[in-house]
Coordinates of all heavy atoms in Angstrom, one line a residue:
M1 N 3.8 10.5 31.4 CA 3.7 9.1 31.9 C 2.5 9.0 32.7 O 1.7 7.9 32.6 CB 4.9 8.7 32.7 CG 4.8 7.3 33.1 SD 5.9 6.8 34.4 CE 5.2 7.8 35.8
L2 N 2.2 10.0 33.6 CA 0.9 9.9 34.3 C -0.4 9.9 33.4 O -1.3 9.1 33.8 CB 0.9 11.1 35.3 CG 1.8 11.0 36.5 CD1 1.8 12.3 37.2 CD2 1.7 9.9 37.3
L3 N -0.4 10.5 32.4 CA -1.4 10.6 31.4 C -1.7 9.2 30.9 O -2.8 8.6 30.8 CB -1.2 11.5 30.3 CG -2.3 11.6 29.2 CD1 -3.6 12.0 29.8 CD2 -1.9 12.6 28.2
A4 N -0.5 8.5 30.6 CA -0.6 7.1 30.1 C -1.4 6.2 31.1 O -2.1 5.3 30.8 CB 0.7 6.6 29.7
Q5 N -0.9 6.4 32.4 CA -1.5 5.5 33.4 C -2.9 5.8 33.7 O -3.7 4.9 33.9 CB -0.7 5.8 34.7 CG 0.7 5.2 34.6 CD 1.6 5.5 35.8 OE1 1.6 6.5 36.3 NE2 2.2 4.4 36.4
V6 N -3.4 7.1 33.5 CA -4.8 7.4 33.7 C -5.6 6.8 32.6 O -6.7 6.2 32.8 CB -5.0 9.0 33.7 CG1 -6.4 9.3 33.6 CG2 -4.4 9.5 35.1
L7 N -5.0 7.0 31.4 CA -5.8 6.4 30.2 C -5.9 4.9 30.4 O -6.9 4.3 30.1 CB -5.1 6.7 28.9 CG -5.2 8.2 28.6 CD1 -4.2 8.6 27.4 CD2 -6.6 8.6 28.2
E8 N -4.8 4.2 30.9 CA -4.9 2.8 31.0 C -5.8 2.4 32.1 O -6.6 1.4 31.9 CB -3.4 2.2 31.4 CG -3.4 0.7 31.6 CD -2.3 0.2 32.6 OE1 -1.8 1.0 33.4 OE2 -2.0 -0.9 32.5
S9 N -5.9 3.1 33.2 CA -6.9 2.9 34.2 C -8.4 3.0 33.7 O -9.2 2.4 34.2 CB -6.7 3.8 35.4 OG -7.1 5.1 35.1
E10 N -8.5 3.7 32.6 CA -9.8 3.8 31.9 C -10.1 2.7 30.9 O -11.0 2.7 30.1 CB -10.1 5.2 31.3 CG -10.0 6.3 32.3 CD -10.0 7.7 31.6 OE1 -10.0 7.8 30.4 OE2 -10.2 8.6 32.5
G11 N -9.1 1.7 30.8 CA -9.4 0.6 29.9 C -8.8 0.9 28.5 O -9.1 0.1 27.5
K12 N -7.9 2.0 28.3 CA -7.4 2.2 26.9 C -6.1 1.6 26.7 O -5.4 1.3 27.6 CB -7.2 3.8 26.8 CG -8.5 4.7 27.1 CD -9.6 4.4 26.1 CE -10.8 5.3 26.3 NZ -11.9 5.0 25.6
K13 N -5.9 1.3 25.5 CA -4.6 0.7 25.1 C -3.6 1.8 24.7 O -4.0 2.7 23.8 CB -4.7 -0.1 23.9 CG -5.6 -1.4 24.1 CD -5.7 -2.2 23.0 CE -6.7 -3.3 23.2 NZ -7.0 -4.0 21.9
V14 N -2.5 2.0 25.4 CA -1.7 3.2 25.4 C -0.3 2.8 24.9 O 0.3 1.9 25.5 CB -1.7 4.0 26.6 CG1 -0.8 5.2 26.6 CG2 -3.1 4.3 27.2
G15 N 0.3 3.6 23.9 CA 1.7 3.5 23.6 C 2.3 4.7 24.2 O 1.9 5.7 24.2
L16 N 3.4 4.5 24.9 CA 4.2 5.6 25.5 C 5.6 5.5 24.9 O 6.4 4.6 25.1 CB 4.3 5.4 27.0 CG 5.0 6.3 27.9 CD1 4.5 7.8 27.7 CD2 5.0 6.1 29.3
L17 N 5.9 6.6 24.2 CA 7.3 6.8 23.5 C 8.1 7.7 24.3 O 7.8 8.9 24.3 CB 7.1 7.2 22.1 CG 8.4 7.6 21.3 CD1 9.3 6.5 21.3 CD2 8.0 8.0 19.9
D18 N 9.2 7.2 24.8 CA 10.0 8.1 25.6 C 11.1 8.7 24.6 O 12.0 8.1 24.4 CB 10.7 7.5 26.8 CG 11.6 8.3 27.8 OD1 11.7 9.5 27.4 OD2 12.1 7.8 28.7
A19 N 10.8 9.9 24.1 CA 11.6 10.5 23.0 C 12.7 11.3 23.7 O 13.5 12.0 22.9 CB 10.8 11.2 22.1
D20 N 12.9 11.3 24.9 CA 13.9 12.1 25.7 C 15.2 11.2 25.6 O 15.5 10.4 26.5 CB 13.6 12.5 27.0 CG 14.7 13.2 27.7 OD1 15.7 13.6 27.1 OD2 14.4 13.7 29.0
I21 N 16.0 11.3 24.6 CA 17.2 10.4 24.3 C 18.2 10.6 25.4 O 18.8 9.6 25.8 CB 17.8 10.7 22.9 CG1 16.7 10.6 21.9 CG2 19.0 9.8 22.6 CD1 16.1 9.3 21.7
H22 N 18.4 11.8 25.8 CA 19.5 12.1 26.8 C 19.2 11.7 28.2 O 20.0 11.6 29.1 CB 20.1 13.5 26.6 CG 20.7 13.6 25.3 ND1 21.8 13.1 24.9 CD2 20.3 14.4 24.3 CE1 22.0 13.5 23.6 NE2 21.0 14.3 23.3
G23 N 17.9 11.7 28.5 CA 17.4 11.5 29.9 C 16.2 10.7 30.0 O 15.3 11.1 30.5
P24 N 16.2 9.5 29.4 CA 15.0 8.6 29.5 C 14.7 8.2 30.9 O 15.5 7.6 31.5 CB 15.4 7.4 28.5 CG 16.9 7.5 28.6 CD 17.4 8.8 28.8
S25 N 13.4 8.5 31.2 CA 13.1 8.2 32.7 C 11.8 7.3 32.8 O 11.7 6.9 33.9 CB 12.9 9.5 33.4 OG 11.9 10.2 32.7
T26 N 11.1 7.1 31.8 CA 9.8 6.4 31.9 C 10.0 5.1 32.3 O 9.3 4.4 33.0 CB 9.0 6.6 30.6 OG1 9.8 6.1 29.5 CG2 8.5 8.0 30.3
V27 N 11.1 4.4 31.8 CA 11.4 2.9 32.1 C 11.6 2.8 33.7 O 11.0 1.9 34.3 CB 12.5 2.4 31.4 CG1 13.1 1.1 31.9 CG2 12.4 2.3 29.9
K28 N 12.3 3.8 34.2 CA 12.6 3.6 35.7 C 11.2 4.0 36.5 O 10.9 3.4 37.4 CB 13.7 4.7 36.0 CG 14.0 4.6 37.6 CD 15.2 5.4 37.8 CE 15.7 5.2 39.2 NZ 17.0 6.0 39.5
A29 N 10.6 4.9 36.0 CA 9.3 5.4 36.7 C 8.2 4.2 36.7 O 7.4 4.2 37.6 CB 8.8 6.6 36.0
L30 N 8.2 3.4 35.6 CA 7.3 2.3 35.5 C 7.9 1.0 36.2 O 7.2 -0.1 36.0 CB 6.9 2.1 34.1 CG 5.9 3.2 33.5 CD1 5.7 2.8 32.0 CD2 4.6 3.2 34.2
G31 N 9.1 1.1 36.7 CA 9.7 0.0 37.4 C 10.1 -1.1 36.5 O 10.2 -2.3 36.7
M32 N 10.6 -0.7 35.2 CA 11.1 -1.7 34.1 C 12.5 -1.4 33.8 O 12.9 -1.9 32.8 CB 10.1 -1.5 32.9 CG 8.7 -1.8 33.2 SD 7.6 -1.7 31.9 CE 8.1 -3.3 31.1
E33 N 13.3 -0.9 34.7 CA 14.7 -0.7 34.4 C 15.3 -2.2 34.3 O 15.1 -2.9 35.0 CB 15.4 0.2 35.4 CG 15.4 -0.3 36.8 CD 14.3 0.3 37.6 OE1 14.4 1.4 38.1 OE2 13.2 -0.3 37.7
G34 N 16.3 -2.1 33.4 CA 17.0 -3.4 33.1 C 16.3 -4.3 32.1 O 16.9 -5.4 31.7
V35 N 15.2 -4.0 31.8 CA 14.4 -4.9 30.7 C 14.8 -4.3 29.4 O 14.7 -3.2 29.1 CB 12.9 -4.8 31.0 CG1 12.2 -5.7 29.9 CG2 12.5 -5.1 32.3
K36 N 15.3 -5.2 28.6 CA 15.8 -4.9 27.2 C 14.8 -5.2 26.1 O 13.8 -6.0 26.3 CB 17.0 -5.8 26.8 CG 18.1 -5.5 27.8 CD 18.6 -4.0 27.7 CE 19.6 -3.7 28.7 NZ 19.8 -2.3 29.0
L37 N 14.8 -4.3 25.1 CA 13.8 -4.5 24.0 C 14.2 -5.7 23.2 O 15.4 -6.1 23.2 CB 14.0 -3.3 23.0 CG 13.5 -1.9 23.6 CD1 13.8 -0.8 22.6 CD2 12.0 -1.9 23.9
K38 N 13.1 -6.3 22.5 CA 13.4 -7.5 21.7 C 12.9 -7.1 20.3 O 12.1 -6.3 20.1 CB 12.5 -8.6 22.3 CG 13.1 -9.1 23.6 CD 12.4 -10.4 24.1 CE 13.0 -10.7 25.3 NZ 12.5 -10.5 26.6
S39 N 13.5 -7.9 19.3 CA 12.9 -7.7 18.0 C 12.0 -8.9 17.5 O 12.1 -10.0 18.2 CB 14.2 -7.6 17.1 OG 14.9 -8.8 17.0
S40 N 11.2 -8.7 16.6 CA 10.3 -9.8 16.1 C 11.0 -10.4 14.9 O 12.0 -10.0 14.4 CB 9.0 -9.2 15.7 OG 9.1 -8.4 14.6
A41 N 10.3 -11.5 14.3 CA 10.8 -12.1 13.2 C 10.9 -11.2 11.9 O 11.7 -11.4 11.1 CB 9.9 -13.3 12.9
E42 N 10.1 -10.2 11.9 CA 10.1 -9.3 10.8 C 11.1 -8.1 11.1 O 11.1 -7.2 10.4 CB 8.7 -8.5 10.7 CG 7.6 -9.5 10.3 CD 7.1 -10.3 11.5 OE1 7.1 -9.7 12.6 OE2 6.6 -11.4 11.4
N43 N 12.0 -8.3 11.9 CA 13.0 -7.3 12.3 C 12.6 -6.0 12.7 O 13.2 -5.0 12.5 CB 14.0 -7.2 11.2 CG 15.1 -8.2 11.0 OD1 15.3 -9.0 12.1 ND2 15.4 -8.6 9.8
S44 N 11.4 -5.9 13.3 CA 11.0 -4.7 13.9 C 11.0 -4.9 15.4 O 11.2 -6.0 16.0 CB 9.5 -4.5 13.6 OG 8.6 -5.5 13.9
I45 N 10.9 -3.7 16.1 CA 11.0 -3.7 17.5 C 9.7 -4.0 18.3 O 8.7 -3.5 17.8 CB 11.6 -2.3 18.0 CG1 13.0 -2.1 17.3 CG2 11.8 -2.2 19.6 CD1 13.5 -0.7 17.4
R46 N 9.8 -4.8 19.3 CA 8.6 -5.0 20.1 C 8.6 -4.1 21.3 O 9.7 -4.3 22.2 CB 8.4 -6.4 20.5 CG 8.1 -7.3 19.3 CD 7.7 -8.7 19.7 NE 8.3 -9.2 20.9 CZ 8.7 -10.4 21.1 NH1 8.7 -11.2 20.1 NH2 9.3 -10.7 22.2
P47 N 7.7 -3.3 21.7 CA 7.9 -2.4 22.8 C 7.8 -3.2 24.1 O 7.2 -4.4 24.1 CB 6.7 -1.5 22.7 CG 5.7 -2.1 21.8 CD 6.6 -3.0 20.9
L48 N 8.2 -2.7 25.2 CA 8.0 -3.4 26.5 C 6.5 -3.2 26.9 O 5.8 -2.3 26.4 CB 8.8 -2.6 27.6 CG 10.4 -2.6 27.3 CD1 11.0 -1.8 28.4 CD2 10.9 -3.9 27.2
E49 N 6.0 -4.2 27.7 CA 4.6 -4.0 28.1 C 4.4 -4.0 29.5 O 5.0 -4.9 30.2 CB 3.8 -5.1 27.3 CG 3.8 -5.0 25.8 CD 2.7 -6.0 25.2 OE1 1.7 -6.3 25.7 OE2 3.2 -6.5 24.2
K50 N 3.6 -3.3 30.0 CA 3.2 -3.3 31.5 C 1.6 -3.0 31.5 O 1.2 -1.8 31.2 CB 3.9 -2.3 32.3 CG 3.5 -2.3 33.8 CD 4.6 -1.6 34.6 CE 4.3 -1.9 36.1 NZ 5.3 -1.4 36.9
G51 N 0.8 -4.0 31.7 CA -0.6 -3.8 31.6 C -1.0 -3.5 30.2 O -0.5 -4.2 29.2
N52 N -1.8 -2.5 29.9 CA -2.1 -2.0 28.7 C -1.2 -0.9 28.2 O -1.7 -0.1 27.3 CB -3.6 -1.6 28.7 CG -4.6 -2.7 28.6 OD1 -4.3 -3.8 28.1 ND2 -5.7 -2.5 29.0
I53 N -0.2 -0.7 28.8 CA 0.9 0.4 28.4 C 1.9 -0.4 27.6 O 2.6 -1.4 28.1 CB 1.5 1.2 29.5 CG1 0.3 1.9 30.2 CG2 2.5 2.0 29.0 CD1 0.7 2.7 31.4
K54 N 2.2 0.1 26.4 CA 3.3 -0.4 25.5 C 4.4 0.8 25.7 O 4.0 1.8 25.2 CB 2.9 -0.7 24.1 CG 2.1 -2.0 24.2 CD 1.7 -2.4 22.7 CE 0.8 -3.6 22.7 NZ 0.7 -4.0 21.4
L55 N 5.5 0.4 26.0 CA 6.6 1.5 26.4 C 7.8 1.2 25.4 O 8.3 0.2 25.3 CB 7.1 1.3 27.8 CG 8.2 2.2 28.2 CD1 8.1 3.7 28.1 CD2 8.6 1.9 29.7
L56 N 8.4 2.3 24.8 CA 9.6 2.3 24.1 C 10.4 3.4 24.6 O 10.0 4.7 24.6 CB 9.2 2.4 22.7 CG 10.3 2.1 21.7 CD1 10.8 0.7 21.8 CD2 9.8 2.2 20.3
S57 N 11.7 3.1 24.9 CA 12.5 4.1 25.5 C 14.0 3.7 25.1 O 14.4 2.6 25.0 CB 12.5 4.2 27.1 OG 13.4 4.9 27.5
A58 N 14.8 4.8 24.9 CA 16.3 4.6 24.7 C 16.9 3.9 25.8 O 17.9 3.3 25.6 CB 17.0 5.9 24.3
A59 N 16.3 4.1 27.0 CA 17.0 3.4 28.1 C 17.0 1.9 28.1 O 17.8 1.3 28.7 CB 16.2 3.8 29.5
S60 N 16.1 1.3 27.3 CA 16.1 -0.1 27.1 C 17.1 -0.5 26.1 O 17.2 -1.8 25.8 CB 14.7 -0.6 26.6 OG 13.8 -0.2 27.6
L61 N 17.9 0.4 25.5 CA 18.9 0.0 24.5 C 20.3 0.1 25.1 O 21.3 -0.5 24.5 CB 18.8 1.1 23.3 CG 17.6 1.1 22.5 CD1 17.6 2.2 21.5 CD2 17.3 -0.3 21.9
I62 N 20.4 0.8 26.2 CA 21.8 1.0 26.7 C 22.0 0.1 27.9 O 21.2 -0.3 28.6 CB 22.0 2.4 27.1 CG1 20.9 3.0 28.0 CG2 22.0 3.3 25.8 CD1 21.1 4.3 28.5
E63 N 23.4 -0.2 28.1 CA 23.8 -1.0 29.2 C 24.0 -0.1 30.4 O 24.8 0.8 30.4 CB 25.1 -1.7 28.9 CG 24.9 -2.9 27.9 CD 24.0 -4.0 28.2 OE1 24.0 -4.3 29.4 OE2 23.3 -4.4 27.4
G64 N 23.4 -0.5 31.5 CA 23.7 0.3 32.8 C 22.9 1.6 32.9 O 22.8 2.3 31.9
E65 N 22.5 1.9 34.0 CA 21.8 3.2 34.3 C 22.6 4.5 34.1 O 22.1 5.5 33.8 CB 21.1 3.1 35.8 CG 20.3 4.3 36.1 CD 19.7 4.1 37.5 OE1 19.3 3.1 37.8 OE2 19.7 5.1 38.2
D66 N 23.9 4.3 34.4 CA 24.8 5.4 34.3 C 25.6 5.6 32.9 O 26.4 6.4 32.8 CB 25.9 5.4 35.4 CG 25.3 5.4 36.7 OD1 24.2 6.2 37.0 OD2 25.7 4.8 37.8
T67 N 25.2 4.8 31.9 CA 25.8 4.8 30.7 C 25.3 6.0 29.9 O 24.1 6.1 29.7 CB 25.6 3.5 29.9 OG1 26.1 2.5 30.7 CG2 26.3 3.6 28.6
P68 N 26.1 6.9 29.5 CA 25.6 8.1 28.7 C 25.3 7.7 27.3 O 25.8 6.8 26.7 CB 26.8 9.1 28.8 CG 27.9 8.3 28.9 CD 27.6 7.0 29.7
L69 N 24.3 8.4 26.8 CA 23.9 8.2 25.4 C 24.1 9.7 24.7 O 23.2 10.5 24.9 CB 22.5 7.7 25.2 CG 22.0 7.5 23.8 CD1 22.9 6.4 23.2 CD2 20.6 6.9 23.8
I70 N 25.2 9.9 24.1 CA 25.4 11.2 23.6 C 25.4 11.2 22.0 O 26.3 10.8 21.3 CB 27.0 11.7 24.1 CG1 27.0 11.5 25.6 CG2 27.2 12.9 23.6 CD1 28.3 11.8 26.1
W71 N 24.3 11.6 21.6 CA 23.9 11.7 20.2 C 23.5 13.0 19.7 O 23.0 13.8 20.6 CB 22.8 10.7 19.8 CG 23.2 9.3 19.9 CD1 24.4 8.6 20.3 CD2 22.3 8.2 19.6 NE1 24.4 7.3 20.3 CE2 23.1 6.9 19.8 CE3 21.1 8.0 19.2 CZ2 22.5 5.7 19.7 CZ3 20.5 6.7 19.0 CH2 21.2 5.7 19.3
R72 N 23.8 13.4 18.5 CA 23.4 14.6 18.0 C 22.4 14.5 16.9 O 22.2 13.4 16.4 CB 24.7 15.4 17.6 CG 25.4 15.8 18.8 CD 26.6 16.7 18.3 NE 27.5 16.9 19.4 CZ 28.4 17.8 19.4 NH1 28.7 18.5 18.4 NH2 29.2 17.9 20.5
G73 N 21.9 15.6 16.5 CA 20.9 15.7 15.4 C 20.4 14.5 14.6 O 19.5 13.9 15.0
P74 N 21.1 14.3 13.5 CA 20.6 13.1 12.6 C 20.5 11.7 13.4 O 19.5 11.0 13.1 CB 21.6 13.0 11.7 CG 22.5 14.3 11.5 CD 22.4 14.8 12.9
M75 N 21.4 11.4 14.3 CA 21.3 10.1 15.0 C 20.0 10.1 15.9 O 19.4 9.1 15.9 CB 22.6 9.9 15.8 CG 23.8 9.6 15.0 SD 25.2 9.4 16.0 CE 24.9 7.7 16.6
K76 N 19.7 11.2 16.5 CA 18.6 11.3 17.4 C 17.3 11.3 16.5 O 16.3 10.5 16.9 CB 18.6 12.5 18.2 CG 19.6 12.6 19.3 CD 19.5 13.6 20.3 CE 19.2 15.1 19.9 NZ 19.3 16.0 20.9
S77 N 17.3 11.9 15.4 CA 16.1 11.9 14.5 C 15.9 10.6 13.9 O 14.8 10.1 13.9 CB 16.3 13.0 13.4 OG 16.5 14.2 13.9
N78 N 17.0 9.9 13.6 CA 16.8 8.5 13.0 C 16.3 7.6 14.1 O 15.4 6.7 13.8 CB 18.1 8.0 12.6 CG 18.5 8.7 11.2 OD1 17.7 9.2 10.5 ND2 19.8 8.6 10.9
L79 N 16.8 7.7 15.3 CA 16.1 6.8 16.5 C 14.7 7.1 16.6 O 13.9 6.2 16.8 CB 17.0 7.0 17.7 CG 16.5 6.1 18.8 CD1 16.7 4.7 18.6 CD2 17.3 6.4 20.1
I80 N 14.3 8.3 16.7 CA 12.9 8.6 16.9 C 12.1 8.2 15.7 O 11.0 7.6 16.0 CB 12.7 10.2 17.2 CG1 13.4 10.6 18.6 CG2 11.3 10.5 17.3 CD1 13.4 12.0 18.9
N81 N 12.4 8.4 14.5 CA 11.8 7.8 13.4 C 11.7 6.3 13.4 O 10.6 5.8 13.2 CB 12.5 8.2 12.0 CG 12.2 9.6 11.7 OD1 11.2 10.3 12.1 ND2 13.2 10.2 11.0
Q82 N 12.8 5.6 13.8 CA 12.7 4.1 14.0 C 11.7 3.8 15.1 O 10.9 2.9 14.9 CB 14.1 3.6 14.3 CG 14.1 2.1 14.5 CD 14.0 1.4 13.2 OE1 14.4 1.9 12.1 NE2 13.4 0.3 13.2
F83 N 11.6 4.6 16.2 CA 10.7 4.3 17.3 C 9.2 4.4 16.8 O 8.3 3.8 17.2 CB 11.0 5.2 18.4 CG 12.1 4.7 19.3 CD1 12.4 5.5 20.5 CD2 12.7 3.6 19.2 CE1 13.4 5.0 21.4 CE2 13.8 3.1 20.0 CZ 14.1 3.8 21.1
L84 N 9.1 5.3 15.8 CA 7.7 5.5 15.3 C 7.2 4.5 14.2 O 6.1 4.0 14.2 CB 7.5 7.0 14.8 CG 7.5 8.0 15.9 CD1 7.7 9.4 15.1 CD2 6.2 8.1 16.8
S85 N 8.2 4.2 13.4 CA 7.8 3.4 12.1 C 8.2 2.1 12.2 O 7.7 1.2 11.5 CB 8.3 4.1 10.9 OG 9.8 4.1 10.9
G86 N 9.3 1.7 13.0 CA 9.8 0.3 13.0 C 9.4 -0.4 14.2 O 10.2 -1.3 14.6
V87 N 8.4 -0.2 14.9 CA 7.9 -0.7 16.2 C 6.6 -1.4 15.9 O 5.6 -0.8 15.3 CB 7.9 0.4 17.2 CG1 7.3 -0.3 18.5 CG2 9.3 0.9 17.4
E88 N 6.4 -2.7 16.5 CA 5.1 -3.2 16.5 C 4.2 -2.7 17.6 O 4.1 -3.4 18.6 CB 5.3 -4.7 16.6 CG 6.0 -5.4 15.4 CD 6.2 -6.9 15.6 OE1 5.4 -7.5 16.5 OE2 6.9 -7.5 14.9
W89 N 3.7 -1.5 17.5 CA 2.8 -0.9 18.5 C 1.5 -1.8 18.6 O 0.9 -1.8 19.7 CB 2.5 0.4 18.2 CG 3.7 1.3 18.3 CD1 4.4 2.0 17.3 CD2 4.2 1.8 19.5 NE1 5.4 2.8 17.9 CE2 5.3 2.7 19.3 CE3 4.0 1.7 20.9 CZ2 6.0 3.4 20.2 CZ3 4.7 2.2 21.9 CH2 5.8 3.0 21.5
G90 N 1.0 -2.4 17.5 CA -0.3 -3.0 17.5 C -1.3 -2.0 17.6 O -1.1 -0.9 17.2
E91 N -2.5 -2.4 18.0 CA -3.7 -1.6 18.1 C -3.6 -0.7 19.3 O -3.6 -1.2 20.4 CB -5.0 -2.4 18.0 CG -6.1 -1.5 17.8 CD -7.4 -2.3 17.7 OE1 -7.4 -3.4 17.0 OE2 -8.4 -1.9 18.2
L92 N -3.6 0.6 19.1 CA -3.5 1.6 20.3 C -4.7 2.5 20.2 O -5.2 2.8 19.1 CB -2.3 2.4 20.2 CG -0.9 1.6 20.3 CD1 0.2 2.6 20.2 CD2 -0.8 1.0 21.8
D93 N -5.1 2.9 21.3 CA -6.0 4.0 21.4 C -5.4 5.3 21.4 O -5.9 6.4 20.8 CB -7.1 3.9 22.6 CG -7.8 2.7 22.6 OD1 -8.5 2.4 21.5 OD2 -7.8 2.0 23.7
Y94 N -4.3 5.4 22.0 CA -3.4 6.6 22.2 C -1.9 6.2 22.1 O -1.5 5.2 22.6 CB -3.7 7.3 23.4 CG -5.0 7.7 23.8 CD1 -6.0 7.0 24.4 CD2 -5.4 9.0 23.3 CE1 -7.3 7.4 24.6 CE2 -6.7 9.4 23.5 CZ -7.6 8.6 24.1 OH -8.9 9.1 24.3
L95 N -1.2 7.2 21.4 CA 0.3 7.2 21.4 C 0.8 8.5 22.1 O 0.6 9.5 21.4 CB 1.0 7.0 20.1 CG 2.4 6.9 20.0 CD1 3.0 5.8 20.8 CD2 2.9 6.9 18.6
I96 N 1.4 8.4 23.2 CA 1.9 9.6 23.9 C 3.3 9.6 23.8 O 4.2 8.6 23.9 CB 1.5 9.4 25.4 CG1 0.0 9.4 25.5 CG2 2.1 10.6 26.3 CD1 -0.6 9.2 26.9
I97 N 3.7 10.8 23.4 CA 5.3 11.0 23.2 C 5.7 11.8 24.3 O 5.4 13.0 24.3 CB 5.6 11.6 21.8 CG1 5.1 10.6 20.7 CG2 7.1 11.8 21.6 CD1 5.2 11.1 19.3
D98 N 6.6 11.4 25.1 CA 7.2 12.1 26.2 C 8.6 12.6 25.7 O 9.5 11.9 25.5 CB 7.4 11.2 27.4 CG 8.1 11.8 28.6 OD1 8.3 13.1 28.6 OD2 8.4 11.2 29.5
S99 N 8.6 14.0 25.5 CA 9.9 14.5 25.1 C 10.6 15.4 26.1 O 11.5 16.1 26.0 CB 9.6 15.3 23.8 OG 8.7 16.4 24.0

């Protein structure tokens, strides 16, 4: 996450994918807890935005900070694939994956 903030401070457009399904923390670290993801007319996901950082995290899909997300193999893989291919990232200079 710090790398994304440094790149943003240099004027870069940064995507930050929080791929840590069981302990997503970037939303909280960026002060965006409680903000939910939205979909577009094309049924793709729009990432959260803070400045020039576009953020995608499983934390934005679950209700409440203490709600567990207990998924195994294929479900986690499908979610990460969806985060990579079904998201309107737009034009980015960097995509950082926090795992």
Side-chain angles (χ1 to χ4, degrees):
M1 184 200 61
L2 291 175
L3 178 59
Q5 290 176 313
V6 168
L7 291 169
E8 180 203 22
S9 72
E10 295 175 356
K12 305 296 183 191
K13 295 177 188 172
V14 182
L16 180 56
L17 170 58
D18 187 356
D20 184 1
I21 304 302
H22 298 292
S25 59
T26 56
V27 171
K28 187 173 186 176
L30 288 174
M32 299 183 73
E33 58 263 279
V35 180
K36 298 297 175 202
L37 294 172
K38 295 185 170 104
S39 62
S40 69
E42 295 83 30
N43 285 332
S44 59
I45 300 169
R46 290 191 329 220
L48 305 177
E49 294 187 41
K50 184 165 187 171
N52 276 340
I53 296 178
K54 293 184 178 184
L55 170 64
L56 194 56
S57 173
S60 298
L61 298 173
I62 56 178
E63 293 295 326
E65 187 176 315
D66 296 327
T67 304
L69 187 61
I70 303 170
W71 289 0
R72 293 187 183 192
M75 291 178 75
K76 292 190 321 188
S77 297
N78 288 340
L79 180 63
I80 292 170
N81 283 333
Q82 181 71 33
F83 278 180
L84 288 170
S85 62
V87 174
E88 290 182 18
W89 288 107
E91 187 176 324
L92 298 175
D93 295 311
Y94 296 95
L95 176 60
I96 298 170
I97 301 174
D98 178 8
S99 59

